[in-house]
């Protein structure tokens, strides 16, 4: 029997990350996740939670070492943790820029740097970084968020080139408008207006993103690396 696959997911206490954990568990993987709070909806003990603020470099590095010590091998890394701190550029505070870049982009650098070493030695691994259509198309009021999400795309393509010779694949999933706590704060009028820009005419759900992540994590995607898969109802085409 082949060894059980191990996955590490950042974020995961709710929303898209939680759906990703559920999907990977359903594929028979053992899952660790890093977030500040625990996913209350996950049955006890099905996934390993490590408390971690992804904006804190020291905490991220310590959490990664703890997971590696326990898991020994990590086959799948999903960088999902992300935040928004929206505002027009002229009024944007330094903190809104720094916080978004730290959680959304620097944390991706830190996890990939550490796990690249592990995966390269394993000669096996799949990294999936969660970007956004905003990283492709831009969005007024989200210069900080767009910079972090576009940064993920360039970073991932470069990393895919670095790690390909070690059979480690790196891909990006770029969700469109997905119903989670991140988007639930928007008013009904805004949501209706956004729907008019989505060819499929509806808001997506977290499970639809999770299934794409699970596909890229799996052997079904064995010849796919350096790609950006938009899961956005056609919004960015
Ligand atoms: P949610 O706000 O519902 O969940 C965000 C997750 O990230 C939570 O699990 C949260 O955990 C974690 N997180 C946030 N800040 C930190 C931190 N400092 N340290 C550790 N974990 C943190 O967002 P979504 O599920 O909607 O978003 C998930 C990803 O998908 C993000 O990267 C987002 O940018 C991206 N995305 C979402 C879209 C959407 O429409 N919803 C569209 C495009 C991209 P906790 O608070 O417990 O720490």
């Amino acid at each position: 029997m082949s060894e059980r696959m191990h996955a590490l997911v950042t974020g995961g206490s709710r929303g898209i990350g939680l759906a990703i954990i559920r999907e990977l568990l359903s594929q028979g993987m053992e899952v660790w996740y890093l977030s500040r709070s625990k996913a209350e909806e996950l049955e006890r003990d099905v996934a390993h939670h490590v408390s971690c603020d992804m904006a804190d470099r020291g905490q991220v590095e310590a959490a990664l070492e703890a997971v590696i010590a326990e898991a020994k091998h990590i086959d799948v890394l999903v960088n999902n943790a992300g935040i928004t701190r929206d505002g027009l550029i002229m009024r944007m505070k330094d903190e809104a820029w720094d916080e978004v870049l730290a959680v959304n982009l620097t944390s991706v650098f830190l996890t990939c740097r550490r796990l690249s070493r592990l995966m390269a030695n394993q000669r096996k691994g799949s990294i999936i970084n969660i970007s956004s259509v905003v990283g492709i198309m831009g969005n007024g009021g989200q210069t900080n968020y767009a910079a972090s999400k576009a940064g993920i795309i360039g970073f991932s393509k470069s990393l895919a080139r670095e790690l390909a010779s070690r059979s480690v694949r790196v891909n990006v999933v770029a969700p469109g408008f997905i119903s989670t706590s991140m988007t639930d704060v928007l008013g009904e009028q805004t949501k209706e207006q956004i729907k008019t820009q989505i060819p499929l005419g509806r808001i997506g759900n977290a499970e639809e993103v999770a299934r794409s992540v699970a596909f890229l994590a799996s052997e079904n995607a064995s010849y796919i690396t350096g790609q950006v898969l938009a899961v956005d109802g056609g919004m960015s085409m």
Side-chain angles (χ1 to χ4, degrees):
M1 214 179 97
S2 61
E3 206 172 2
R4 198 174 175 200
M5 283 188 30
H6 290 174
L8 173 61
V9 179
T10 73
S13 52
R14 58 178 183 274
I16 292 171
L18 179 58
I20 292 169
I21 293 174
R22 287 217 166 96
E23 189 63 34
L24 298 181
L25 287 171
S26 79
Q27 313 264 320
M29 293 186 202
E30 189 165 355
V31 181
W32 283 257
Y33 68 102
L34 313 181
S35 55
R36 292 165 303 179
S37 52
K38 209 168 171 174
E40 294 306 334
E41 294 133 78
L42 274 181
E43 303 73 37
R44 203 183 284 257
D45 295 337
V46 294
H48 310 272
H49 177 243
V50 180
S51 177
C52 179
D53 180 350
M54 297 304 293
D56 184 317
R57 185 180 285 256
Q59 284 190 36
V60 174
E61 288 173 347
L64 291 174
E65 293 314 320
V67 173
I68 291 167
E70 196 175 287
K72 309 284 190 266
H73 62 98
I74 307 277
D75 310 288
V76 175
L77 166 65
V78 184
N79 276 301
N80 158 82
I83 56 166
T84 51
R85 293 286 181 270
D86 298 350
L88 296 173
I89 187 75
M90 283 184 249
R91 286 200 287 269
M92 189 175 287
K93 300 250 187 319
D94 287 355
E95 297 75 42
W97 176 268
D98 291 344
E99 217 184 319
V100 166
L101 269 290
V103 176
N104 295 10
L105 187 58
T106 305
S107 75
V108 177
F109 159 65
L110 294 172
T111 59
C112 287
R113 181 172 64 179
R114 181 62 184 95
L115 291 195
S116 285
R117 209 157 79 217
L118 188 81
M119 289 178 170
N121 285 337
Q122 292 170 181
R123 295 283 193 279
K124 180 179 183 236
S126 176
I127 297 173
I128 298 107
N129 295 326
I130 307 297
S131 174
S132 164
V133 285
V134 171
I136 300 169
M137 303 167 71
N139 191 24
Q142 290 198 308
T143 49
N144 50 357
Y145 184 74
S148 71
K149 294 300 186 180
I152 283 179
I153 294 175
F155 173 90
S156 302
K157 289 184 178 182
S158 304
L159 188 61
R161 289 181 186 276
E162 284 189 24
L163 296 178
S165 64
R166 309 294 182 95
S167 304
V168 177
R169 298 181 294 104
V170 185
N171 291 290
V172 173
V173 168
F177 197 86
I178 309 297
S179 177
T180 68
S181 59
M182 187 179 270
T183 49
D184 287 349
V185 292
L186 300 173
E188 278 313 310
Q189 212 181 341
T190 312
K191 287 185 192 169
E192 286 307 316
Q193 203 275 326
I194 288 170
K195 275 193 221 168
T196 65
Q197 297 162 31
I198 306 172
L200 284 182
R202 65 173 176 85
I203 288 165
N205 60 59
E207 290 69 32
E208 291 175 306
V209 179
R211 285 196 294 272
S212 306
V213 171
F215 163 67
L216 289 170
S218 77
E219 275 305 297
N220 291 328
S222 56
Y223 202 50
I224 301 177
T225 195
Q227 299 305 305
V228 180
L229 179 55
V231 181
D232 64 357
M235 202 175 173
S236 65
M237 72 178 155

